[in-house]
Amino acid sequence: MKKRDAPTNSPRLSIHTSEEKFALALVTPAFLITVLIVLIPLLYAFYLSFNRAEVIVVGGQGGLVTEFSGLRNYLYFLSSADFWYSVRTTLYFTVASLAVELVLGIIVALLLNEEFRGRGLVRTLLILPWAVPTVVNARMWGLIFEPHAYGALNGLLQTLHLLGPERTINYLAPIPLFQNAPLLGELTSWLGVTRGLTWIIVADTWKTLPVVALLLLAGLQSIPLDLYSAAKVDGANAWQRFWLITLPLLRPIILIVLVYRTMELFRVFDIIYILMAYTIPVLGVVTFQQSFVFGNFGKGAAIAFLIGLLVLLLANGYIRLIDLEERE
Amino acid sequence: MKRVLWLNWFSLLALAAILLSACGTPTPTVAPLPTEDETLVLHALYMNQAGYSEEVLQEMAQQFHADNPGVGINFTFVKYDELHDKIVTSAAASTATYDVILLDLIWTAEFGHKGYVIPLDARITEEQKADIAPAIFDAFIYNGQLWAFPFLANFQNMFYNLAHLQAAGFDGPPATLEEWYAQMVALKEQGIVKYPYIDSWNRKEGLVCDYVRTAAQFGGDLFDENGQPIMDQGAGLRALQFMRRLLDEELADPAALTTDEPGAMNALISGAATFNTNWTFVRGNMLDPEKSNIVAAARTGLLPTAEGVAAPAGTVSGFQGLAVMANSDKQAAAWRWIQFATSAEVQQQHLESEFPIWSSLQNSEQEQEINPDAGFYATNLANAHHRPKVAHYPEVSAIIQEEVHDCLLQIISPEEATAEMVQRINALEE
C-alpha cells in the first residue's frame, strides 16, 4: 500500500493552506467589525428583550439598568390589539408600495430599455430622487401636501382649475379610505388604510422608484435579443413578447427586488414619523416610541425582534419562490 | 502577506481595546474650571424650532467666552421632537454627550426621578427666587427639588386677525369663550373665512398642550393636585366637547388634525384663518413683512375663559429650563454658562427675541416699548396651567394624544375618549 505523504510535504496542499490563511487574513477584519457592530449589539438587544430596561444615572455615571422579566415584553405586544393593528397597517404600506413600485418600475425600465435620443441623460436623471435624503424627501412632500391653498399640490390643482378657488384637499388626513362605503369602509378602517398613508406611499415611491427601475433595467438588458426576434418571426405581438418572454426572464430580478424592498418597507420609519408623527402607528414608529420616548428599551427590543421575525417569514416565502424558480 | 497578518493582529487588538474600554469606563470626575490658557468645550443641546434663535445663542456664547476665555460652547441644535431622545441617549452613556440641556417642563419629573440631571437648589440665590414668578419655578420642581433653571417663559397666547374681525362687525377680540365662539360663527356665516380657527391638533405633544389650555379656559385641569386624572368630568370633559364642536361645525380647520404649531401659524399669517392659539414665537413671525401677509392686522390677545370662570385668561405653560447632566464631567463650567445665559442682564439684551423670565424685566419700560403686547403676555402667563408632573409622563401624554385625536377624528365621542383616558392612565399607575 502506498503511504500517504504528510500534508506538510505536499507543495500543493501547502499552497492551499497558505491561500486559506491569506483568505482568512483578508476576511478577519471585516468579520471582527461585523461582530462588533452587528452581532454584539444584536445579542445585547436580544438579551434586553427579556428584561425590563431603562436608562438611569447613578453616582454621575449613566447606563442601562435591567431586570429579568422573561417573555413579558413579547406577550405584552402579542396580546395587544394595538400591536396587531400596527402589523396590518405596516403590511398595507409594504404590499401597496411594492405593487406600485413594481408596476411603475417595470414600465420605466421597459421605456429606458428602448433606443431613443437622450436615453443616457434620462437614465442619469432618473437616479436623482434616490439621491435625496429620506428626511429631505419627507419635508419636501410635507410642503407639497400642505392642506391649504398655499400648499404646492393644492396650488397647482387650483391653477389648473381642477380644484375650485375655495377647495383644498387635506392629503394627509388620517381618515380611512371609502369610510362611508358599507363593508369596504370597515375593512379599510380595520387595515389602517387611510388617505394620509396612501399619499405617503406616493411620496415614498417617488424616491425609491429609480432604484427599482434601474435594477429591473439591468435584468432586462440580460435578456437575449434573439428571443424577441424569434418571437416576432413566430408572429408574437408586443403584449405576448412581454408576457411570455420579458416577464418570465425578469422573475429572478423581480424576486430580488421584492426581498430587498420588503425588508426596507416593513421597517419604514422616517417618512411616516416626519409627516405624521404618531398618527400612523407602523411598527417602526411604535418601536421608536417604546424605546426612546417611553424609555422602555426592553419592550423596544422585543418589538424590534418581532419585526425581524415577521420580515424573516416574508423573506422565507420569497426565498422559497427563488428556489422554485431555480429548480424550474 | 505579512502586512495583511499584521493588519489582522491590529484589528484584534483594536477590538479588544474597544471592548475593554466599554467594560471599564471610569466614573467621570467633575473637572475644575479651566484657567485662562486652557480651553474647555461645553456641549450644549438646544432646539432650533422656537425660543432664542441660533444666532442669538451664538452671540450669547461669544459674550460668555469673552468673559470666560477658558470656556467655549459647542451647540447642537435639533428639533423639539428630537430633544428628549438625544437627552436619554446622552444619559445612557457613562459620560454625558451633552453637558447642558434644554429641559422642557414635562420632563422634570422623569429626569429628576431617573437622575439624568443634577438638583440646583443649593446654587440659586434668594434674589433670583424673588424675581421669578413661582409658577415658573414650580414647573421645574419635582420631589421638592429644582432640576432646571428657567430659561424660556414660553406659553400660549391668542393671535388674531383684526381686519377679519372688523369686517365681521366686531371691534376687538372676544372677552369670553362664548363670545369667541359667537365671533367664529359670524366670521363663517359672513364668508370672511372658510375656517375661522386653526390649531395644531396633529397627534403630538402639541395636542396635549391645546387640550390642557382649553381646559384652563374652562377654569380647570386634567389632573387633580395628587396627579390623578380627572378629565372625564368638569373642565376636562367640557374642553374636549368644545374642541370637537368646533370641528363638527367647521369653525376649526380640519387641517388642524395634521398640522403642527408652525403649520398652524402659517395659516394665520397667510390670512387663511382669523384665530390661532399658539406659542410666543408666532408674534415675531406675524409682524415680519417678509413672512406675513397680515402685518397690519396681526394682534395678540388674552385667551378668553368661559363665563363664570374667575380667571381673566387661561393658558398652558411650555416653560423650558437649562439643566446640567448628572453624568457630565464639566458641571461647574456648565452651571456657570447657565447662570450667564439665564441672567437678567443677558435676557435684557434680547427682549426683541423672547419674553423674559424675570418679573423685573417683564414689567420694565424697555419691555413695554419693545413689546406693546407685554400686558397680555403677563396676564396669560399669570394664568398658565401646567401639564402633569409624573415620572411616566411620555406614556400619559401618548394616551391623551391618541384618545383626543380619535375623538377629534369623530371616531369616538368626548365622553368615551375622556373615560378611556382615565381608565388607561390609572392602569399605568398600577
Side-chain angles (χ1 to χ4, degrees), chain B residues 159-360:
Chain B
F159 300 101
Y160 63 95
N161 185 323
L162 183 62
H164 284 183
L165 288 181
Q166 287 173 338
F170 299 103
D171 296 333
T176 63
L177 200 75
E178 290 73 12
E179 213 177 301
W180 186 27
Y181 172 78
Q183 288 191 350
M184 285 191 260
V185 171
L187 284 157
K188 186 165 183 75
E189 282 178 355
Q190 293 178 38
I192 292 163
V193 278
K194 190 175 179 186
Y195 303 112
Y197 176 49
I198 179 80
D199 210 341
S200 46
W201 289 347
N202 67 342
R203 199 168 139 186
K204 269 184 165 180
E205 184 59 31
L207 181 57
V208 182
C209 297
D210 291 320
Y211 184 29
V212 169
R213 191 246 313 138
T214 314
Q217 291 179 272
F218 279 100
D221 283 297
L222 308 182
F223 290 77
D224 66 15
E225 301 82 24
N226 303 315
Q228 295 304 306
I230 51 164
M231 62 278 282
D232 59 341
Q233 50 190 289
L237 180 59
R238 291 178 70 197
L240 193 55
Q241 286 167 336
F242 182 72
M243 291 163 75
R244 170 72 177 265
R245 184 179 178 189
L246 295 183
L247 277 170
D248 289 348
E249 296 179 13
E250 297 191 337
L251 299 173
D253 189 339
L257 292 167
T258 53
T259 301
D260 58 9
E261 287 92 338
M265 176 194 74
N266 287 338
L268 173 82
I269 67 178
S270 72
T274 304
F275 297 106
N276 175 216
T277 46
N278 214 323
W279 306 100
T280 51
F281 76 96
V282 171
R283 189 175 178 276
N285 286 287
M286 72 181 190
L287 298 175
D288 182 348
E290 288 194 2
K291 296 177 182 169
S292 170
N293 292 336
I294 62 159
V295 174
R299 295 288 187 279
T300 307
L302 297 179
L303 280 156
T305 50
E307 281 170 9
V309 174
T315 189
V316 60
S317 59
F319 306 143
Q320 304 205 339
L322 294 182
V324 181
M325 289 297 285
N327 52 343
S328 160
D329 55 358
K330 300 163 199 156
Q331 291 181 357
W335 173 243
R336 188 184 280 190
W337 158 248
I338 290 176
Q339 273 186 306
F340 175 84
T342 58
S343 68
E345 292 72 27
V346 171
Q347 294 212 337
Q348 190 175 18
Q349 295 168 30
H350 301 285
L351 292 177
E352 302 85 1
S353 303
E354 280 298 317
F355 195 61
I357 55 162
W358 303 95
S359 302
S360 54

Side-chain angles (χ1 to χ4, degrees), chain A residues 22 25 28 32 36 54-57 59-63 139 147-148 150 166 170 172 273 277-279 288 292-294 296, chain B residues 4 8 15 25 27-28 79 84-85 91-94 114-116 194 203-204 253 255 258 266-267 270 326-327 394-395 398:
Chain A
F22 182 62
T28 306
L32 289 176
L36 190 69
E54 62 176 350
V55 170
I56 61 165
V57 180
Q61 187 158 12
R139 294 260 170 245
H148 296 96
Y150 48 86
E166 291 298 312
N170 186 3
L172 296 178
Y273 177 71
Y278 304 106
T279 310
F288 170 78
F292 295 100
V293 180
F294 298 165
N296 298 329
Chain B
V4 173
N8 193 358
L15 176 67
T25 310
T27 305
K79 275 183 76 80
H84 181 268
D85 321 332
S94 59
K114 294 179 178 175
Y116 294 178
K194 190 175 179 186
R203 199 168 139 186
K204 269 184 165 180
D253 189 339
T258 53
N266 287 338
S270 72
N327 52 343
E395 281 152 296

Side-chain angles (χ1 to χ4, degrees), chain A residues 282-320:
Chain A
V282 289
L283 289 166
V285 169
V286 177
T287 309
F288 170 78
Q289 192 179 36
Q290 281 293 342
S291 305
F292 295 100
V293 180
F294 298 165
N296 298 329
F297 288 90
K299 280 184 185 160
I303 194 171
F305 275 94
L306 288 173
I307 295 172
L309 195 68
L310 290 167
V311 173
L312 204 67
L313 286 173
L314 288 169
N316 187 42
Y318 291 139
I319 288 165
R320 279 170 188 272

